[in-house]
């Protein structure tokens, strides 16, 4: 039996592991894919204290090594369920069941999809959720970016240097992202802003060929693009815990800054928690708080 | 062990004409998820001697990337007797790759 099982090896989970190991707890981290979480997709982190610039890969690898060197155990299996047996929690994965006194849910968030019929089958054939990963394939081609937040704006900016033309499609008439990025974009001559509109169809013949865009009055037009970069936000990965844990209407775990969930001994940390700011610093901060409270909880058992 | 680097000159002999199945990893230096996948592929390679795992850099080998319609990386393509039999896109778990190659 472990003291603490942490679900998810992103920044929140790895930080929780560091705190728990430094308190000499027996810690297991269960991760579905690979360590690091979402941040591995970014080339440059410029807002994490101390390091002015660091790549997401380097950040993730350093954090992982720090947790591992302190004696954290890692198993790469996806968690599908959790059973609460009061002072014992059963964490069920696709392959095994593990037991712990306390659990920290640090499952983060994943890309929100547009929700169009053939979207999934066109991933890798024109549909992408990561401009910095896939942008290079669209040299001198027409592409669209969908969204209005920072990710969409930065994706669009990045793509204006690669693609011949970028259409930025936003469902409102104003962007949520930073003004400085908006003004940089407005200086580019190969970008067209399409406001008050949604993407309603992906037209493909094996590969994406064009998209249908519908404005708020219901008028549609077809735009020829070979790529569409979807940046319409993220959704928390909490569905597997819904039976046990209270979630808000958007699927985030309901918990205050203390990271306590409605179940005693189960804590939450990172982007999957209901909160205002979802960044590395707030994820690592949650990790520290959740681990500290989990340690306290364990020490008070018996 | 590091993966064998493939270029357009050895692609035919090392991939298409290979006796064993080949798992080709299309990747780039600037792609974070590709770097995360590397150690997973190395351990797949070490544990499955009957399959060849190779790396194809899409920047230096853009012709190969284009020929196989790669437009999202990391992209894993499984070749059997010169034919593409399976493909997976994005960072995937070791278990998912084992399923793909039919390994343990
Ligand atoms: C492109 C991009 C750029 C960004 N740039 C910045 C930046 O410059 N600065 C900044 O501060 N923030 C940035 N962020 C935000 C930052 O990455 C997140 O706030 C942070 O990664 C959240 O950490 P987390 O640990 O809560 O979740 P995540 O990073 O999402 O990690 C969660 C982990 O849990 C795993 N998991 C999920 N479900 C399960 C399950 N059922 N079983 C097992 N494992 C599971 C996932 O595979 C993942 O590894 C960026 C995000 C993106 C997408």
């Amino acid at each position: 039996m472990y003291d603490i099982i942490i679900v998810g090896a992103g920044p929140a989970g790895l930080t929780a592991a560091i705190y728990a190991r430094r308190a000499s707890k027996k810690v297991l981290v269960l991760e579905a894919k690979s360590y690091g979480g979402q941040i591995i997709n970014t080339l440059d982190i410029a807002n994490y204290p101390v390091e002015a610039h660091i790549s997401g890969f380097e950040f993730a690898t350093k954090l992982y090594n720090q947790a591992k060197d302190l004696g954290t155990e890692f198993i790469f299996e996806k968690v599908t369920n959790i059973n609460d047996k009061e002072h014992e929690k059963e964490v069920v994965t696709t392959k095994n069941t593990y037991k712990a006194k306390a659990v920290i849910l640090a499952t983060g968030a994943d890309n929100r999809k547009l929700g169009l019929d053939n979207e999934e089958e066109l991933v890798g054939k024109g549909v992408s959720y990561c401009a910095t990963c896939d942008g290079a394939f669209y040299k001198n081609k027409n592409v669209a970016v969908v969204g209005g937040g920072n990710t969409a704006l930065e994706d669009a900016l990045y793509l204006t240097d690669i693609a011949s033309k970028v259409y930025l499609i936003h469902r409102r008439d104003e962007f949520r992202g930073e003004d400085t990025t908006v003004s940089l974009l407005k200086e580019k001559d190969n970008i067209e802003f399409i406001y008050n509109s949604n993407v309603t169809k992906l037209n493909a013949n094996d590969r994406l060929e064009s998209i249908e865009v519908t404005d708020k009055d219901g008028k549609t037009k077809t735009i020829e693009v070979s790529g569409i970069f979807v940046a319409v936000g993220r959704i928390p990965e909490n569905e597997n815990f819904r039976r046990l844990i209270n979630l808000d209407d958007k699927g985030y775990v309901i918990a205050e800054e203390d990271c306590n969930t409605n179940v005693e001994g189960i804590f939450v940390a990172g982007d999957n928690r209901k909160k205002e700011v979802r960044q590395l610093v707030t994820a690592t901060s949650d990790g520290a708080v959740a681990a500290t409270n989990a340690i306290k909880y364990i020490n008070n058992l018996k | 062990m590091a993966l064998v680097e493939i270029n357009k000159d050895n692609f035919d002999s090392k991939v298409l004409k290979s006796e064993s199945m080949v798992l080709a990893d299309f990747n780039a230096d600037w792609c974070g998820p590709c770097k995360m996948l590397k150690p997973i592929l190395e351990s797949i390679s070490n544990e499955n001697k009957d399959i060849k795992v190779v790396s194809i850099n899409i920047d230096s080998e853009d012709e190969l990337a284009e020929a196989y319609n790669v437009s999202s990386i990391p992209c894993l393509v499984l070749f059997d007797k010169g034919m593409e039999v399976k493909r997976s896109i994005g960072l995937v778990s070791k278990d998912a790759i084992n399923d793909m190659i039919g390994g343990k």
Side-chain angles (χ1 to χ4, degrees):
Chain A
M1 169 128 110
Y2 292 92
D3 289 316
I4 304 178
I5 289 180
I6 298 167
V7 187
L14 292 172
T15 306
I18 291 171
Y19 275 76
R21 278 304 301 153
R22 286 180 49 81
S24 304
K25 299 297 175 209
K26 192 168 155 55
V27 182
L28 170 67
V29 175
L30 293 168
E31 164 58 50
K33 286 184 186 166
S34 168
Y35 66 84
Q38 302 159 52
I39 200 62
I40 61 161
N41 292 305
T42 190
L43 292 175
D44 182 32
I45 302 163
N47 55 9
Y48 196 79
V50 177
E51 293 259 18
H53 293 280
I54 182 167
S55 76
F57 171 75
E58 204 187 340
F59 181 94
T61 305
K62 281 186 167 172
L63 185 52
Y64 169 74
N65 287 336
Q66 191 177 353
K68 199 170 172 66
D69 292 347
L70 283 166
T72 307
E73 261 183 71
F74 286 87
I75 296 180
F76 291 91
E77 288 170 13
K78 184 175 175 141
V79 174
T80 53
N81 201 1
I82 293 174
N83 298 314
D84 181 28
K85 304 265 161 83
E86 275 188 58
H87 296 331
E88 190 179 294
K89 320 287 175 203
E90 280 179 5
V91 181
V92 184
T93 71
T94 41
K95 286 188 166 163
N96 292 300
T97 298
Y98 303 91
K99 289 178 181 161
K101 294 174 186 159
V103 172
I104 298 174
L105 303 174
T107 45
D110 199 3
N111 300 309
R112 182 184 292 282
K113 313 273 184 296
L114 289 172
L116 297 172
D117 277 345
N118 48 354
E119 184 172 353
E120 207 159 315
E121 61 204 66
L122 289 174
V123 172
K125 296 176 176 175
V127 173
S128 171
Y129 303 89
C130 179
T132 50
C133 307
D134 303 336
F137 295 104
Y138 297 91
K139 204 179 265 175
N140 303 325
K141 297 195 168 136
N142 291 350
V143 298
V145 174
V146 194
N150 271 328
T151 308
L153 296 174
E154 277 160 26
D155 283 359
L157 193 60
Y158 175 78
L159 289 164
T160 52
D161 290 333
I162 299 170
S164 56
K165 177 145 190 190
V166 178
Y167 297 90
L168 179 54
I169 302 161
H170 183 32
R171 66 193 159 111
R172 300 220 165 80
D173 56 2
E174 224 174 291
F175 292 108
R176 267 180 297 115
E178 280 173 23
D179 291 342
T180 43
T181 321
V182 176
S183 24
L184 282 174
L185 271 176
K186 288 195 166 145
E187 281 165 24
K188 299 279 177 176
D189 50 19
N190 61 340
I191 188 158
E192 186 176 326
F193 297 90
I194 302 178
Y195 297 102
N196 296 315
S197 299
N198 286 307
V199 177
T200 41
K201 227 188 241 170
L202 304 170
N203 301 315
N205 199 341
D206 187 39
R207 285 194 56 88
L208 182 72
E209 289 174 352
S210 67
I211 55 175
E212 180 193 82
V213 174
T214 305
D215 71 13
K216 64 176 194 300
D217 303 320
K219 265 214 315 262
T220 64
K221 68 175 166 187
T222 300
I223 304 172
E224 275 177 34
V225 290
S226 19
I228 183 167
F229 291 86
V230 181
V232 293
R234 318 190 60 78
I235 41 168
E237 299 223 56
N238 293 326
E239 282 314 306
N240 290 334
F241 318 124
R242 188 178 275 285
R243 199 178 46 80
L244 196 60
I245 305 291
N246 290 346
L247 308 179
D248 73 0
D249 56 351
K250 293 199 178 100
Y252 290 100
V253 174
I254 300 173
E256 298 301 319
E257 295 299 316
D258 59 12
C259 297
N260 294 334
T261 69
N262 57 303
V263 179
E264 236 188 303
I266 302 186
F267 304 84
V268 60
D271 275 16
N272 59 335
R273 180 169 78 86
K274 182 182 168 141
K275 58 174 166 179
E276 290 296 317
V277 181
R278 291 197 176 83
Q279 287 282 290
L280 290 170
V281 273
T282 59
T284 53
S285 158
D286 276 8
V289 174
T292 306
N293 286 337
I295 293 161
K296 232 188 263 169
Y297 166 80
I298 293 167
N299 291 345
N300 286 335
L301 285 177
K302 82 197 155 214
Chain B
M1 209 181 60
L3 306 181
V4 178
E5 287 293 332
I6 294 296
N7 55 48
K8 64 177 189 302
D9 300 324
N10 65 10
F11 181 75
D12 195 57
S13 64
K14 290 230 155 85
V15 177
L16 295 182
K17 298 221 169 83
S18 164
E19 289 283 317
S20 58
M21 286 211 273
V22 180
L23 183 66
D25 164 36
F26 287 89
N27 65 81
D29 297 338
W30 42 261
C31 156
C34 300
K35 290 190 187 166
M36 305 301 300
L37 197 57
K38 265 276 136 80
I40 300 178
L41 288 169
E42 281 165 5
S43 81
I44 292 269
S45 170
N46 292 335
E47 289 164 18
N48 298 276
K49 292 294 172 206
D50 48 340
I51 180 163
K52 214 156 63 181
V53 187
V54 302
S55 163
I56 303 177
N57 183 302
I58 57 115
D59 286 324
S60 53
E61 304 308 322
D62 51 341
E63 287 169 36
L64 287 176
E66 204 159 311
Y68 283 88
N69 261 319
V70 174
S71 67
S72 185
I73 52 172
C75 175
L76 297 175
V77 179
L78 185 65
F79 289 93
D80 189 13
K81 308 202 167 53
M83 296 289 286
E84 171 176 345
V85 288
K86 274 184 198 162
R87 180 179 288 228
S88 107
I89 285 158
L91 179 60
V92 285
S93 67
K94 188 172 172 186
D95 285 351
I97 300 174
N98 270 323
D99 282 349
M100 180 180 181
I101 63 174
K104 44 184 152 174

